[in-house]
Amino acid sequence: MKATARAHTNIALIKYWGKRDEQLFLPMNNSISITLDQFYTTTSVTFQDDLASDVFVLDGVELGGAEQNKISTFLDLVRRMTKHHGHAVVESSNNVPTAAGFASSASGFAALAAASTKALGYEISDAGLSTLARQGSGSACRSIYGGFVEWHMGEKIDGTDSFATQLLSEEDWQLSIISVMVEAKQKKVLSREGMKRTVATSPFYDGWLASLEPDLLATRAAIADRTFEQLGTVLERNAMKMHATMLGANPPFMYWMSSTIEVMQAVQELREDGIQAYFTIDAGPNVKVICQPADEKAVMDRLKQLMCVKDLFLCHPGPGIHYLTT
């Protein structure tokens, strides 16, 4: 009763910002992402009849407290679904540079969902696996698939219609995604708190929601047609709008630093020089730059010249869930 699965992180092109249900991780809007090839979590789950409780080992260290509780709460979902009552040893390792702003929760819960159901021999569809992973971390539902992925917000109260689907495989459109690390410190306002505050208090939030459908339509079309300039224009605009909602929150907050703006300006200067590059920013100060593979060297060379840049990480579209033999 053991299985090992690997899931990769993803970055949002059209952002998920705000939940309509905190417990079920149901979003206020659809989102679209790219799964990344270089960063992933590998998780083994072994169900054992002689265990009194679940055991969680991350990168070789056994964890208790809140981290163990998160894993056990998620495994309770699996146990209810599969009607299996045993406890498990969960062993995970992260190949994710969290200091660069890549959250490991998406790859972590996607891998846990896949490994735990596989270990129990439970047959589940990709949509079902995505729905399950979402209940550990919202964006985990997108890491079930490779390439370009859309998370559908759904309408049902129980969340059964809120899952991700693949728009385009990782092999069908090669792009370059460069993560620009300008700050490694933990952010003062965590994403979950930032979302709640923005939804509850920002007068700009309704405008953000109203503007999303055109962004989603344009992004789907750009991915289907492989129209890079259209994709870049929309994803950059979408990120800027998301961050604008935070300025209207009460109290207002901002994830950007002066170095964030410096990188943004450098990307805009690259376009003025004829190199197509666009930026997106999640809930943090670090910037992700999207370009075409033919331009990745020129873009990275330009970014390396900035004194504020601490490190660069290069990725391309990566695969969805896959199982490893142990």
Side-chain angles (χ1 to χ4, degrees), residues 260-296:
T260 308
I261 297 172
E262 190 174 348
V263 174
M264 293 158 60
Q265 291 173 333
V267 173
Q268 292 171 337
E269 289 168 3
L270 279 164
R271 290 205 296 272
E272 292 171 3
D273 294 338
I275 297 174
Q276 286 191 331
Y278 298 87
F279 62 78
T280 186
I281 309 166
D282 294 322
N286 298 309
V287 184
K288 279 78 175 178
V289 180
I290 317 294
C291 66
Q292 296 175 97
D295 294 324
E296 71 179 34

Side-chain angles (χ1 to χ4, degrees), residues 36-249:
L36 304 177
D37 60 349
Q38 294 299 311
F39 306 134
Y40 52 83
T41 300
T42 305
T43 297
S44 294
V45 177
T46 307
F47 284 92
Q48 297 178 196
D49 294 335
D50 59 347
L51 288 175
S53 61
D54 297 315
V55 177
F56 179 41
V57 179
L58 177 62
D59 293 328
V61 178
E62 183 174 342
L63 301 181
E67 294 303 317
Q68 183 194 32
N69 288 339
K70 285 181 189 176
I71 299 302
S72 289
T73 298
F74 186 82
L75 288 176
D76 285 343
L77 297 174
V78 177
R79 283 186 274 259
R80 285 197 294 271
M81 184 174 67
T82 62
K83 297 180 171 56
H84 179 86
H85 303 293
H87 292 99
V89 176
V90 177
E91 299 171 281
S92 286
S93 61
N94 279 332
N95 186 57
V96 182
T98 52
F102 284 106
S104 59
S105 58
S107 56
F109 279 101
L112 179 58
S116 58
T117 51
K118 189 77 167 179
L120 294 173
Y122 186 76
E123 293 295 327
I124 188 169
S125 66
D126 286 345
L129 198 58
S130 180
T131 302
L132 175 62
R134 187 206 73 231
Q135 296 172 76
S137 170
S139 56
C141 74
R142 301 188 304 233
S143 284
I144 300 301
Y145 305 91
F148 299 79
V149 180
E150 179 165 2
W151 175 10
H152 306 277
M153 61 178 286
E155 298 178 355
K156 295 181 180 179
I157 295 175
D158 64 2
T160 53
D161 59 349
S162 181
F163 52 83
T165 57
Q166 187 181 64
L167 298 175
L168 197 67
S169 83
E170 65 273 21
E171 299 172 352
D172 290 334
W173 193 15
Q174 280 299 300
L175 295 180
S176 301
I177 304 101
I178 304 164
S179 180
V180 187
M181 187 174 80
V182 298
E183 181 54 68
K185 294 179 183 177
Q186 182 172 325
K187 54 198 177 188
K188 294 181 180 179
V189 180
L190 298 179
S191 299
R192 181 175 293 192
E193 165 59 25
M195 284 186 189
K196 289 179 66 174
R197 191 189 305 179
T198 302
V199 172
T201 67
S202 178
F204 305 148
Y205 192 73
D206 286 345
W208 152 260
L209 289 179
S211 75
L212 280 167
E213 191 56 35
D215 287 356
L216 289 162
L217 287 170
T219 302
R220 290 186 201 112
I223 291 170
D225 298 336
R226 281 65 146 188
T227 310
F228 181 70
E229 184 174 359
Q230 178 173 319
L231 178 71
T233 300
V234 177
L235 70 87
E236 189 170 293
R237 182 177 69 226
N238 184 264
M240 297 285 272
K241 287 187 295 186
M242 183 189 82
H243 283 267
T245 66
M246 306 168 200
L247 301 180

